[in-house]
């Protein structure tokens, strides 16, 4: 019953879940009761003893889970399912359960119909992902993360030091996992240690200039990404770069982003504010 939710949130299936449940079920129950007793017990010295027991009990559970995680084939990675597949998965499960319990063939056929729908949607989604060219500027707050996807491959530029950085994974790891595979990702770290940097990124869809401070020697590009409230001399920067669109990423304050929007609108330059959004999204189907 939890498998569809596991695939929806994590895109992986734990093969030793029965073993893990057996090893953790009783200790977790005991930990809950120990915690409850410590909450209501007024005797300090007894709480100290219970606290030591609780700490070691939790360590034991973590040790068991870590040991299981290191077993061969402990996890099977599967493409993360979307809302439609999640709904059809539970519709299929409940249909089959109802058909088994009440011997109703109609629900048996309904379950098979849901399974067929899952297969059709999955095949169609794989074809779309294979033939779709995608570009993203993710909202990773003060950091920069730009991604280009095509044919289940990805090129990711980021000021994070690793693709496995927790903040990066939290912000966009789920979508990256859906659109590509681990062995088809080229991660290119950018120097984010300096206070202000400008970058020129060349992609198949065009050139991208990332501006963190104004310079007279900025190159021309198809897209301009403004960071760290670098809206000083914005009109001059736009005149030099001649971008088709300007993106204000999550490192800018909302106040500065709105000020930049007014300037860009007056210049009739298309713009997009990422501050309260997941990402700047551009998709093009390859015909």
């Amino acid at each position: 019953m939890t498998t569809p939710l596991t695939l929806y949130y994590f895109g992986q299936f734990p093969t030793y879940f029965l073993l893990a449940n057996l090893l953790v079920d009783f200790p977790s129950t005991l930990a809950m009761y120990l915690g409850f007793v410590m909450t209501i017990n007024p005797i300090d010295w007894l709480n100290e003893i219970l606290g030591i027991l609780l700490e070691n009990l939790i360590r034991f559970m973590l040790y068991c889970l870590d040991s299981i995680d290191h077993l061969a084939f402990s996890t099977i990675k599967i493409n993360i399912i979307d809302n439609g597949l999640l709904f059809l998965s539970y519709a299929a499960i409940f249909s089959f359960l109802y058909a088994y319990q009440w011997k109703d063939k109609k629900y048996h056929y309904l379950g098979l119909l849901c399974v067929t729908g899952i297969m059709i949607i999955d095949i169609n989604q794989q074809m779309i992902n294979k033939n779709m060219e995608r570009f993203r500027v993710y909202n990773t707050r003060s950091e920069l993360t730009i991604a280009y996807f095509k044919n289940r491959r990805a090129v990711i530029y980021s000021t994070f030091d690793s693709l496995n950085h927790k903040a990066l994974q939290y912000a966009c790891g789920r979508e990256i996992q859906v659109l590509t595979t681990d062995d088809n990702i080229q991660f290119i770290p950018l120097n984010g240690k300096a206070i202000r940097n400008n970058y020129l990124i060349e992609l198949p869809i065009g050139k991208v200039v990332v501006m963190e401070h104004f310079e007279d020697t900025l190159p021309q590009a198809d897209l301009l990404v403004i960071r760290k409230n670098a809206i000083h001399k914005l009109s001059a920067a736009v005149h030099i770069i001649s971008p088709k669109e300007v993106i204000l990423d999550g490192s800018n304050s909302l106040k500065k982003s709105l000020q930049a929007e007014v300037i860009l609108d007056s210049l009739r330059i298309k713009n997009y504010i990422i501050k309260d959004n997941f990402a700047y999204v551009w998709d093009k189907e390859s015909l």
Side-chain angles (χ1 to χ4, degrees):
M1 294 295 290
T2 59
T3 297
L5 285 175
T6 302
L7 299 180
Y8 179 75
Y9 284 108
F10 306 110
Q12 58 186 25
F13 180 76
T15 53
Y16 301 116
F17 64 93
L18 285 177
L19 177 60
N21 286 342
L22 288 173
L23 291 175
V24 173
D25 186 45
F26 176 73
S28 63
T29 303
L30 184 58
M32 181 181 66
Y33 284 112
L34 280 174
F36 175 73
V37 172
M38 291 177 64
T39 303
I40 63 175
N41 178 44
I43 305 173
D44 290 339
W45 64 266
L46 181 57
N47 278 336
E48 290 181 6
I49 295 174
L50 294 176
I52 294 172
L53 291 174
L54 182 60
E55 182 179 3
N56 285 282
L57 187 62
I58 293 173
R59 285 181 176 176
F60 171 75
M61 288 191 293
L62 293 175
Y63 172 78
C64 290
L65 292 174
D66 186 61
S67 299
I68 293 172
D69 185 52
H70 283 82
L71 294 175
F73 307 108
S74 62
T75 302
I76 299 174
K77 289 190 175 182
I78 302 172
N79 287 341
I80 294 176
I81 65 175
D82 59 16
N83 293 327
L85 290 177
L86 180 67
F87 172 78
L88 286 176
S89 297
Y90 277 111
I93 290 172
F94 286 115
S95 296
F96 285 133
L97 288 175
Y98 189 92
Y100 175 79
Q101 180 68 28
W102 302 104
K103 313 300 180 185
D104 192 332
K105 290 185 177 180
K106 294 192 298 294
Y107 285 88
H108 178 74
Y109 295 135
L110 178 60
L112 290 175
L113 183 63
C114 291
V115 172
T116 303
I118 291 172
M119 295 174 63
I120 293 173
I121 291 174
D122 183 61
I123 293 171
N124 181 62
Q125 191 62 50
Q126 289 187 30
M127 293 299 296
I128 291 175
N129 289 340
K130 182 178 180 180
N131 297 320
M132 189 74 76
E133 190 177 20
R134 305 173 191 269
F135 173 76
R136 302 284 189 270
V137 180
Y138 290 109
N139 184 359
T140 46
R141 298 180 181 272
S142 61
E143 302 294 337
L144 171 68
T145 304
I146 293 175
Y148 172 78
F149 303 94
K150 189 174 182 181
N151 298 331
R152 301 288 294 172
R153 297 179 179 273
V155 180
I156 298 175
Y157 295 84
S158 181
T159 53
F160 286 111
D161 56 7
S162 168
L163 183 64
N164 296 319
H165 194 285
K166 290 183 179 180
L168 187 151
Q169 285 296 318
Y170 177 80
C172 51
R174 189 172 187 270
E175 185 182 61
I176 292 172
Q177 186 177 348
V178 170
L179 298 179
T180 187
T181 55
D182 292 339
D183 56 345
N184 285 329
I185 299 176
Q186 181 184 3
F187 181 79
I188 302 175
L190 300 172
N191 182 17
K193 295 181 180 179
I195 296 176
R196 301 280 177 175
N197 279 319
N198 292 333
Y199 309 98
L200 174 62
I201 299 173
E202 297 190 37
L203 297 170
I205 61 171
K207 294 181 179 179
V208 180
V209 166
V210 179
M211 187 180 77
E212 296 182 353
H213 65 94
F214 176 78
E215 289 180 341
D216 293 326
T217 57
L218 290 167
Q220 289 192 338
D222 302 287
L223 188 67
L224 169 61
V225 179
I226 297 176
R227 289 176 39 78
K228 299 181 179 180
N229 299 315
I231 66 171
H232 178 62
K233 295 186 178 181
L234 178 57
S235 298
V238 170
H239 178 72
I240 296 171
I241 300 170
S242 301
K244 297 176 183 177
E245 187 169 1
V246 175
I247 298 172
L248 298 135
D249 83 344
S251 66
N252 301 290
S253 68
L254 183 59
K255 179 181 178 181
K256 293 291 185 180
S257 296
L258 293 175
Q259 290 177 1
E261 183 182 38
V262 172
I263 296 172
L264 294 168
D265 286 342
S266 67
L267 296 172
R268 296 184 179 180
I269 300 293
K270 187 178 178 182
N271 57 85
Y272 185 85
I273 298 176
I274 297 181
K275 188 66 178 177
D276 294 325
N277 295 291
F278 162 67
Y280 169 81
V281 176
W282 180 91
D283 293 336
K284 178 183 179 182
E285 187 171 357
S286 302
L287 301 176

